[in-house]
Amino acid sequence: MTGEKKRVEVCYSPSQWHLYKNNYEIAVVIDVLRATSAICTAVENGVTIVPVSSVEEAKDYQNKGYIAAAERDGQIVEGFDMGNSPVSYKDPELKGKTVVLTTTNGTTAINIAREKETVVIGSLNNLDSLCKWLKEQDKNILLLGSGWKDKFNLEDTICAGAIADELIESQKFFAEEDSTIAAKFIYRSAKENIFSFLKASSHRKRLRNLNLNEDVKYCLTPNNLTVVPILKGDEIVAVNLEVEKA
Amino acid sequence: MTGEKKRVEVCYSPSQWHLYKNNYEIAVVIDVLRATSAICTAVENGVTIVPVSSVEEAKDYQNKGYIAAAERDGQIVEGFDMGNSPVSYKDPELKGKTVVLTTTNGTTAINIAREKETVVIGSLNNLDSLCKWLKEQDKNILLLGSGWKDKFNLEDTICAGAIADELIESQKFFAEEDSTIAAKFIYRSAKENIFSFLKASSHRKRLRNLNLNEDVKYCLTPNNLTVVPILKGDEIVAVNLEVEKA
């Protein structure tokens, strides 16, 4: 550590990325409902994820023999076996395999963040492990919410707020942006019962209408995973956890 | 009134306008620190405001003999007599006159919102009068925060949240966007002491460093004005207040 505080800030959606992106070495991509929760679950289960932005790209990989998953507007795209339901990535049959994934918001956000030196995947599921790892890096960090079709969303903001709060409390980080102050504030108000806090949120309603309430409960459960997924080339894999195990 | 609820939503900054702008007849432009607070003060004092986006445009008007005001980064631009300090618009000498105004964020937001049928000016200063007027319109309303250089800011969000809260509580309006839920929530948490709530905000720090704390206190004082400024062609003037006076 240099002893100098590093910066951690929150960008609410990919449409704001260009306004915030400068001077950060690490991007954390967050899509709580459900892409990054699914990716964390997959990687913890030994699955490698290849994130792609479009359904066409996923289709191309599928035609080459890859397992491909595609979600749009909360539903599995026709012609694909999987979407972004986290539970589906726990399948022991998938262990050791690669899944190509495209989702409405999350995989696009990952591909936008690629220009950074380091891209890691955040969710409520891997909150503590991720924060522990981030604190060890001594780098400036931008937390990117995937939003909903480029708009602000509550669940990604709560998750980003949780990470920012933990990092700032460690005294190793500072924040200056109003977006970060607001995210921290919303997280602190929501943290006792995130599920209930989000009852009015637009995407929870959307998923409830699709009978995906169990998925929502899973995604809103902090720390049921310990993995830190990181982008290496085209693949998302588990970061080396030696530091954490020490 | 049609009896059907109308929609009120919050857009955090001009950079998000394209994502939110459809299906609203009224845009309310908000730049609490300090452009819209200054405009409300001016219009209440009988001053007509012509908002322009660039310093060059303001200069052109100045060369034609207009009184012109220009602010960038919190300071009066060289060559202009006024910026966006609300107090300066209380000058009795200005009564009945027209001032051409350009500011870092607020006047750009007004010009973006021009495509709407109706553009009105919101601030904490004219909160109650504005809400009263909006409730009488029976139209869908988009509240546009000016933000800071296209980023989210806290003070505009609090003001937008206050308007949304009041309109929704009247049972004449509903909201669905997460941005609106969050803005309402932040407002409710801040409302007992907005000045103190904003102490960490980026723009308050910026203005404090410029010795503009008195301006900040003025701008954060709800309901010290009763005017509802509206854009008519190129000019911002007081809306007809007959309905309110009835």
Side-chain angles (χ1 to χ4, degrees):
Chain A
M1 310 290 289
T2 61
E4 219 173 80
K5 280 193 187 188
K6 296 294 176 177
R7 186 164 178 161
V8 60
E9 303 285 4
V10 178
C11 173
Y12 290 145
S13 86
S15 66
Q16 302 255 296
W17 173 257
H18 66 288
L19 299 168
Y20 287 87
K21 67 176 188 176
N22 294 330
N23 306 318
Y24 302 93
E25 296 86 34
I26 298 180
V28 179
V29 180
I30 299 162
D31 186 2
V32 168
L33 295 176
R34 296 169 290 161
T36 61
S37 304
I39 292 170
C40 291
T41 306
V43 174
E44 178 128 339
N45 187 35
V47 180
T48 296
I49 297 287
V50 175
V52 298
S53 294
S54 72
V55 171
E56 293 65 36
E57 286 169 273
K59 199 47 124 182
D60 287 347
Y61 273 100
Q62 198 182 40
N63 291 337
K64 289 180 200 157
Y66 281 82
I67 304 168
E71 169 271 351
R72 284 297 180 273
D73 294 332
Q75 297 184 281
I76 298 174
V77 177
E78 214 187 309
F80 292 86
D81 296 327
M82 298 173 71
N84 63 357
S85 173
V87 188
S88 63
Y89 291 88
K90 288 182 171 178
D91 184 350
E93 294 282 313
L94 288 175
K95 199 173 175 133
K97 296 196 173 142
T98 295
V99 175
V100 175
L101 172 67
T102 183
T103 74
T104 312
N105 307 294
T107 55
T108 301
I110 292 167
N111 285 323
I112 284 171
R114 266 180 199 282
E115 64 181 281
K116 292 294 162 199
E117 200 174 292
T118 305
V119 178
V120 291
I121 306 300
S123 66
L124 290 166
N125 305 134
N126 71 339
L127 190 60
D128 283 354
S129 308
L130 175 64
C131 288
K132 194 165 186 291
W133 186 84
L134 290 170
K135 282 186 259 180
E136 298 297 334
Q137 303 310 303
D138 197 28
K139 304 274 188 185
N140 298 297
I141 299 167
L142 185 57
L143 309 170
L144 173 62
S146 298
W148 180 258
K149 297 187 177 180
D150 274 338
K151 290 176 176 175
F152 170 93
N153 84 27
L154 272 172
E155 62 273 12
D156 295 346
T157 303
I158 288 172
C159 182
I163 298 168
D165 197 29
E166 174 68 24
L167 266 50
I168 293 162
E169 286 294 303
S170 77
Q171 306 289 326
K172 293 178 180 170
F173 293 85
F174 72 96
E176 283 187 341
E177 297 282 1
D178 279 11
S179 55
T180 312
I181 298 170
K184 260 182 60 180
F185 180 76
I186 292 170
Y187 161 67
R188 286 193 175 196
S189 309
K191 71 177 175 183
E192 296 310 328
N193 193 342
I194 296 173
F195 191 75
S196 149
F197 188 88
L198 287 175
K199 67 180 187 297
S201 86
S202 57
H203 197 49
R204 247 208 70 187
K205 279 191 216 164
R206 208 175 288 123
L207 294 177
R208 194 164 47 219
N209 293 340
L210 297 168
N211 283 316
L212 294 171
N213 240 344
E214 286 308 308
D215 264 19
V216 173
K217 278 185 192 159
Y218 176 90
C219 295
L220 299 183
T221 304
N223 301 314
N224 54 4
L225 300 173
T226 59
V227 77
V228 179
I230 189 166
L231 190 66
K232 294 278 184 199
D234 290 335
E235 299 184 333
I236 299 170
V237 295
V239 82
N240 185 316
L241 291 174
E242 279 167 27
V243 175
E244 281 68 34
K245 285 176 187 157
Chain B
M1 310 290 287
T2 62
E4 218 174 82
K5 280 192 186 187
K6 296 294 177 180
R7 186 164 178 160
V8 60
E9 303 285 5
V10 178
C11 173
Y12 290 145
S13 87
S15 67
Q16 302 256 296
W17 173 256
H18 66 287
L19 299 168
Y20 287 86
K21 67 177 187 175
N22 293 329
N23 307 316
Y24 302 93
E25 295 88 32
I26 298 180
V28 179
V29 181
I30 299 162
D31 186 1
V32 168
L33 295 176
R34 297 169 288 161
T36 61
S37 305
I39 292 170
C40 290
T41 306
V43 175
E44 179 129 338
N45 187 34
V47 179
T48 296
I49 296 287
V50 175
V52 298
S53 294
S54 71
V55 172
E56 292 67 35
E57 285 169 274
K59 198 50 124 180
D60 286 348
Y61 273 101
Q62 199 181 40
N63 292 337
K64 288 179 202 157
Y66 280 83
I67 305 167
E71 169 270 350
R72 285 297 179 272
D73 295 330
Q75 298 183 280
I76 297 174
V77 178
E78 213 187 309
F80 291 87
D81 296 326
M82 298 174 70
N84 63 358
S85 173
V87 187
S88 63
Y89 291 88
K90 287 182 170 176
D91 184 349
E93 294 283 313
L94 288 176
K95 199 172 177 136
K97 298 200 172 140
T98 294
V99 175
V100 176
L101 172 67
T102 183
T103 75
T104 312
N105 305 294
T107 55
T108 302
I110 292 166
N111 285 324
I112 284 171
R114 266 180 198 282
E115 63 181 283
K116 293 293 163 200
E117 199 174 291
T118 305
V119 178
V120 292
I121 306 300
S123 67
L124 289 166
N125 305 135
N126 70 338
L127 190 58
D128 283 354
S129 308
L130 175 64
C131 288
K132 193 165 186 291
W133 185 85
L134 289 171
K135 282 187 260 181
E136 298 298 332
Q137 303 310 304
D138 196 27
K139 304 273 189 188
N140 298 297
I141 299 168
L142 185 58
L143 309 170
L144 174 62
S146 298
W148 179 258
K149 298 189 175 177
D150 273 340
K151 290 176 177 176
F152 170 94
N153 83 27
L154 271 171
E155 62 273 13
D156 295 346
T157 303
I158 287 171
C159 182
I163 299 168
D165 197 29
E166 174 70 22
L167 266 49
I168 293 163
E169 286 293 304
S170 76
Q171 305 289 325
K172 293 178 181 170
F173 292 85
F174 72 97
E176 282 186 342
E177 297 282 1
D178 278 12
S179 53
T180 313
I181 297 170
K184 259 182 60 181
F185 180 76
I186 292 170
Y187 162 66
R188 285 193 175 197
S189 310
K191 71 177 174 183
E192 296 310 327
N193 193 342
I194 296 174
F195 191 74
S196 149
F197 187 88
L198 286 176
K199 69 181 184 297
S201 87
S202 58
H203 198 47
R204 245 207 71 186
K205 279 191 216 165
R206 207 175 287 124
L207 294 177
R208 195 165 46 220
N209 293 340
L210 297 169
N211 283 319
L212 293 171
N213 240 345
E214 286 308 308
D215 264 18
V216 174
K217 278 185 194 158
Y218 177 89
C219 295
L220 299 184
T221 305
N223 301 313
N224 54 5
L225 300 173
T226 59
V227 77
V228 180
I230 190 166
L231 190 66
K232 294 278 182 201
D234 289 336
E235 300 183 334
I236 298 170
V237 297
V239 82
N240 185 317
L241 291 175
E242 281 168 25
V243 175
E244 281 69 34
K245 285 176 187 158

